[in-house]
Amino acid sequence: MSFISYYFHWGSDDVMRLDHNSRRRWCEEISQINSSLTPSDSRKKEKSILEFGRRRG
């Protein structure tokens, strides 16, 4: 929620009105935008917000 709120300047009520899949889609969209704006040499280092909760196997 805070990720979407930060980038879109939406309040928590607005974000909570979205269903889980919509919130996830917006996180993916924001991450893609951030990746496209990141210089190519540091692009490999940057992760999507969705990757932070994943376990390494």
Side-chain angles (χ1 to χ4, degrees), residues 1 6 8 13 21-22 30 39:
M1 270 186 39
Y6 175 80
F8 287 152
D13 290 338
N21 289 330
S22 295
I30 294 166

PDB file of all heavy atoms in Angstrom, residues 1 6 8 13 21-22 30 39:
ATOM      1  N   MET A   1       0.811  -1.195   0.000  1.00  0.00           N
ATOM      2  CA  MET A   1       0.000   0.000   0.000  1.00  0.00           C
ATOM      3  C   MET A   1       0.853   1.257   0.000  1.00  0.00           C
ATOM      4  O   MET A   1       0.558   2.186  -0.725  1.00  0.00           O
ATOM      5  CB  MET A   1      -0.886   0.010   1.245  1.00  0.00           C
ATOM      6  CG  MET A   1      -2.199  -0.644   1.069  1.00  0.00           C
ATOM      7  SD  MET A   1      -3.286  -0.465   2.498  1.00  0.00           S
ATOM      8  CE  MET A   1      -3.010   1.162   3.061  1.00  0.00           C
ATOM      9  N   TYR A   6       2.911   6.261  -2.095  1.00  0.00           N
ATOM     10  CA  TYR A   6       4.068   7.132  -2.282  1.00  0.00           C
ATOM     11  C   TYR A   6       4.163   7.650  -3.717  1.00  0.00           C
ATOM     12  O   TYR A   6       4.327   8.847  -3.943  1.00  0.00           O
ATOM     13  CB  TYR A   6       5.349   6.372  -1.918  1.00  0.00           C
ATOM     14  CG  TYR A   6       6.606   7.153  -2.189  1.00  0.00           C
ATOM     15  CD1 TYR A   6       7.029   8.133  -1.294  1.00  0.00           C
ATOM     16  CD2 TYR A   6       7.365   6.916  -3.324  1.00  0.00           C
ATOM     17  CE1 TYR A   6       8.178   8.863  -1.532  1.00  0.00           C
ATOM     18  CE2 TYR A   6       8.519   7.638  -3.573  1.00  0.00           C
ATOM     19  CZ  TYR A   6       8.920   8.608  -2.674  1.00  0.00           C
ATOM     20  OH  TYR A   6      10.054   9.325  -2.921  1.00  0.00           O
ATOM     21  N   PHE A   8       1.848   7.545  -6.248  1.00  0.00           N
ATOM     22  CA  PHE A   8       0.665   8.174  -6.836  1.00  0.00           C
ATOM     23  C   PHE A   8       0.067   9.254  -5.943  1.00  0.00           C
ATOM     24  O   PHE A   8      -0.888   9.911  -6.325  1.00  0.00           O
ATOM     25  CB  PHE A   8      -0.406   7.130  -7.148  1.00  0.00           C
ATOM     26  CG  PHE A   8      -0.088   6.266  -8.332  1.00  0.00           C
ATOM     27  CD1 PHE A   8      -0.599   4.987  -8.407  1.00  0.00           C
ATOM     28  CD2 PHE A   8       0.696   6.715  -9.373  1.00  0.00           C
ATOM     29  CE1 PHE A   8      -0.340   4.171  -9.501  1.00  0.00           C
ATOM     30  CE2 PHE A   8       0.966   5.919 -10.472  1.00  0.00           C
ATOM     31  CZ  PHE A   8       0.451   4.649 -10.526  1.00  0.00           C
ATOM     32  N   ASP A  13      -7.209   5.147   2.077  1.00  0.00           N
ATOM     33  CA  ASP A  13      -8.586   4.760   1.728  1.00  0.00           C
ATOM     34  C   ASP A  13      -8.702   4.463   0.232  1.00  0.00           C
ATOM     35  O   ASP A  13      -9.355   3.494  -0.165  1.00  0.00           O
ATOM     36  CB  ASP A  13      -9.580   5.854   2.103  1.00  0.00           C
ATOM     37  CG  ASP A  13      -9.760   6.001   3.598  1.00  0.00           C
ATOM     38  OD1 ASP A  13      -9.468   5.027   4.334  1.00  0.00           O
ATOM     39  OD2 ASP A  13     -10.188   7.082   4.035  1.00  0.00           O
ATOM     40  N   ASN A  21      -5.550  -7.856  -6.655  1.00  0.00           N
ATOM     41  CA  ASN A  21      -4.960  -7.970  -7.992  1.00  0.00           C
ATOM     42  C   ASN A  21      -4.679  -6.605  -8.607  1.00  0.00           C
ATOM     43  O   ASN A  21      -3.670  -6.419  -9.291  1.00  0.00           O
ATOM     44  CB  ASN A  21      -5.863  -8.793  -8.919  1.00  0.00           C
ATOM     45  CG  ASN A  21      -5.865 -10.252  -8.552  1.00  0.00           C
ATOM     46  OD1 ASN A  21      -4.882 -10.770  -8.034  1.00  0.00           O
ATOM     47  ND2 ASN A  21      -6.969 -10.926  -8.806  1.00  0.00           N
ATOM     48  N   SER A  22      -5.545  -5.647  -8.370  1.00  0.00           N
ATOM     49  CA  SER A  22      -5.328  -4.292  -8.886  1.00  0.00           C
ATOM     50  C   SER A  22      -4.134  -3.639  -8.213  1.00  0.00           C
ATOM     51  O   SER A  22      -3.310  -3.001  -8.871  1.00  0.00           O
ATOM     52  CB  SER A  22      -6.567  -3.423  -8.676  1.00  0.00           C
ATOM     53  OG  SER A  22      -7.644  -3.904  -9.435  1.00  0.00           O
ATOM     54  N   ILE A  30       4.353   0.523 -11.650  1.00  0.00           N
ATOM     55  CA  ILE A  30       5.283   1.496 -11.059  1.00  0.00           C
ATOM     56  C   ILE A  30       6.716   0.982 -11.171  1.00  0.00           C
ATOM     57  O   ILE A  30       7.633   1.733 -11.533  1.00  0.00           O
ATOM     58  CB  ILE A  30       4.915   1.778  -9.588  1.00  0.00           C
ATOM     59  CG1 ILE A  30       3.563   2.489  -9.510  1.00  0.00           C
ATOM     60  CG2 ILE A  30       6.002   2.607  -8.913  1.00  0.00           C
ATOM     61  CD1 ILE A  30       2.960   2.512  -8.109  1.00  0.00           C
ATOM     62  N   PRO A  39      19.149   4.505 -15.231  1.00  0.00           N
ATOM     63  CA  PRO A  39      20.236   4.338 -16.209  1.00  0.00           C
ATOM     64  C   PRO A  39      20.582   2.862 -16.389  1.00  0.00           C
ATOM     65  O   PRO A  39      20.518   2.082 -15.445  1.00  0.00           O
ATOM     66  CB  PRO A  39      21.404   5.096 -15.579  1.00  0.00           C
ATOM     67  CG  PRO A  39      20.783   6.037 -14.613  1.00  0.00           C
ATOM     68  CD  PRO A  39      19.512   5.380 -14.143  1.00  0.00           C
TER      69      PRO A  39
END
